[in-house]
Amino acid sequence: MFFINSSKVISCSAFGVFFGAAACMAATPSDEQLQALVNKAVTPVMQQQQVPGLAVAITVNGQPHYFNYGVAAKDTGQKVSENTLFEIGSVSKTFAATLAGYAQASGKLEFSDKASQHWPELKGSAFDHISLLQLGTYSAGGLPLQFPDAADSSDKMLGYYQQWKPTFPAGSHRLYSNPSIGLFGYLAAKSLGQPFNQVMTQTLLPKLGLKHTFLSVPASEQKLYAQGYDKNNKPIRVSPGALDSEAYGVKTSAADLLQYVQANLDTAKLESPVQKAIALTHTGYYTVGDMTQGLGWERYTYPISLDRLLDGNSTPMAMEAHKVKWLNPPQPEPANVLLNKTGSTGGFGAYVAFVPSKKVGIVILANRNYPNGERVKIAHKILGELTR
């Protein structure tokens, strides 16, 4: 059984029958149209993938809409709402990237700096020759997807970095990596003179207007923290590890994450350094196939076919090394693009996508780690109808 609610929106003209008037749909979708569209896209996936609870949040021309399905926890039966807290996994990387952009905009670092300039203990290691930008774009030379188990703690990660040897020349290949972008966020916080959790919680999140986004869920919010479920339907939540906050540790609600998307779509009300930070995350630094690598965000020319978007969010893209083609100079966000990011933990699955030129975006949060492709299909269908 699925429980659904949605916000009220202005209806289209009576002549704008469902999907019969695309311009009307894009401008002012009715409550009924959006609910029918989201329900059709989401319900089969929840059933097939045994997803207990899922929240969808959509922004159209600055107007938020929420659609909530199922339960946040099986044992209590508590329904999902737009305020339910979910683990967002690697969508967290976009927050670390924004912090690094903020540090550059504030004059505390340059992306061209070598990593060891900001962590003297790394001097004499491979990081004398690896730039912050290479860390932020997974092109440091082959840092792995995860820390080895023996190094996966805050007190052991330095030793791991000190002895690590690149597989590829720095800047030549993309290999998606928590230790790479995690170190990017960690060094950004160092440049700002505070631990990552502190500067994120006390500086960046407030400047973005996010009040229900956490690295550590406080006791007062625990009742809103969804229970995650693994592939065997056993309860699970994310475990701490080296650079977990920077790479995969954010917990947030559909409402707050949609506000973050809206901030990315329209930066006008933000402070100048935050505006510049977001622009840096949307900038294209190199290409791999159809994907242009930003900081945290991954960018595609829009409109894009489902197959191409699936390829960009595929297992080979996440697990294999790919040669890159650098953009020189880096390419600011062009007119027609889609930016997206997937994220997963053991018991949660997230996907965020938005199209700035169309002023639309979508957040999909679930308390089960179901396949990325299914999330992409949902978003592609909904965004396609909203932008045609």
Side-chain angles (χ1 to χ4, degrees):
M1 176 181 293
F2 303 116
F3 306 96
I4 309 169
N5 71 43
S6 60
S7 66
K8 292 294 182 182
V9 295
I10 300 171
S11 295
C12 284
S13 160
F15 297 102
V17 294
F18 186 46
F19 300 144
C24 180
M25 180 67 176
T28 53
S30 74
D31 194 28
E32 293 78 13
Q33 287 173 321
L34 274 175
Q35 181 168 314
L37 174 59
V38 176
N39 190 47
K40 183 177 180 181
V42 164
T43 302
V45 175
M46 289 190 70
Q47 293 172 338
Q48 293 161 9
Q49 300 296 328
Q50 298 182 312
V51 178
L54 187 144
V56 176
I58 299 171
T59 180
V60 182
N61 294 323
Q63 175 68 44
H65 313 278
Y66 306 111
F67 303 87
N68 303 305
Y69 298 74
V71 296
K74 294 180 181 180
D75 57 345
T76 66
Q78 181 178 346
K79 297 178 183 179
V80 169
S81 80
E82 59 267 30
N83 298 313
T84 300
L85 296 173
F86 292 82
E87 296 170 9
I88 63 170
S90 287
V91 179
S92 306
K93 293 174 170 62
T94 69
F95 288 89
T98 305
L99 184 68
Y102 177 78
Q104 174 157 299
S106 301
K108 301 300 184 180
L109 58 75
E110 293 291 337
F111 289 165
S112 58
D113 293 347
K114 302 306 181 185
S116 60
Q117 291 177 235
H118 295 277
W119 198 359
E121 288 85 349
L122 292 177
K123 290 188 180 298
S125 74
F127 295 92
D128 286 338
H129 311 288
I130 293 168
S131 71
L132 298 180
L133 181 61
Q134 289 163 347
L135 288 174
T137 56
Y138 318 112
S139 59
L143 282 165
L145 177 63
Q146 308 282 6
F147 282 96
D149 289 344
D152 197 13
S153 63
S154 58
D155 61 334
K156 295 178 180 177
M157 67 179 189
L158 174 59
Y160 171 74
Y161 285 127
Q162 288 172 328
Q163 59 78 40
W164 176 77
K165 303 298 181 186
T167 305
F168 312 105
S172 66
H173 288 71
R174 178 190 193 268
L175 185 60
Y176 188 72
S177 169
N178 287 342
S180 187
I181 200 168
L183 184 56
F184 183 56
Y186 180 83
L187 297 180
K190 271 187 169 293
S191 77
L192 291 163
Q194 297 178 50
F196 181 86
N197 285 23
Q198 182 178 341
V199 70
M200 182 64 69
T201 301
Q202 297 180 6
T203 301
L204 186 62
L205 295 180
K207 289 181 182 296
L208 291 166
L210 304 182
K211 299 179 180 179
H212 295 95
T213 297
F214 307 102
L215 296 169
S216 179
V217 179
S220 61
E221 303 290 336
Q222 284 290 331
K223 62 184 181 297
L224 292 173
Y225 190 177
Q227 177 62 63
Y229 296 92
D230 67 15
K231 61 183 180 180
N232 297 313
N233 292 315
K234 300 295 184 183
I236 187 173
R237 281 183 176 155
V238 69
S239 300
L243 302 181
D244 54 342
S245 292
E246 292 86 342
Y248 56 85
V250 172
K251 298 89 178 172
T252 190
S253 66
D256 239 37
L257 196 53
L258 191 69
Q259 184 168 337
Y260 177 54
V261 169
Q262 289 174 324
N264 275 266
L265 287 169
D266 182 4
T267 63
K269 296 180 181 179
L270 301 174
E271 296 179 10
S272 178
V274 182
Q275 292 182 14
K276 293 176 182 177
I278 288 174
L280 288 167
T281 68
H282 293 194
T283 296
Y285 297 96
Y286 62 69
T287 61
V288 174
D290 292 315
M291 188 270 288
T292 299
Q293 183 68 61
L295 293 176
W297 301 112
E298 295 157 11
R299 207 177 77 187
Y300 300 84
T301 300
Y302 194 80
I304 183 171
S305 71
L306 176 59
D307 286 345
R308 289 183 173 183
L309 193 57
L310 288 170
D311 284 346
N313 288 283
S314 66
T315 298
M317 183 63 79
M319 302 297 292
E320 299 173 6
H322 296 81
K323 289 185 178 180
V324 307
K325 296 181 180 179
W326 285 90
L327 299 170
N328 191 16
Q331 182 188 65
E333 179 189 310
N336 294 304
V337 293
L338 176 146
L339 294 102
N340 80 167
K341 188 71 190 76
T342 62
S344 302
T345 60
F348 292 81
Y351 184 60
V352 177
F354 54 96
V355 183
S357 64
K358 303 294 185 180
K359 299 182 181 179
V360 299
I362 187 168
V363 166
I364 307 170
L365 301 177
N367 56 350
R368 183 179 172 88
N369 180 359
Y370 65 111
N372 281 339
E374 298 302 322
R375 311 172 206 177
V376 172
K377 290 175 186 176
I378 292 171
H380 188 270
K381 180 176 181 61
I382 293 171
L383 292 177
E385 294 292 355
L386 291 174
T387 58
R388 67 177 183 172

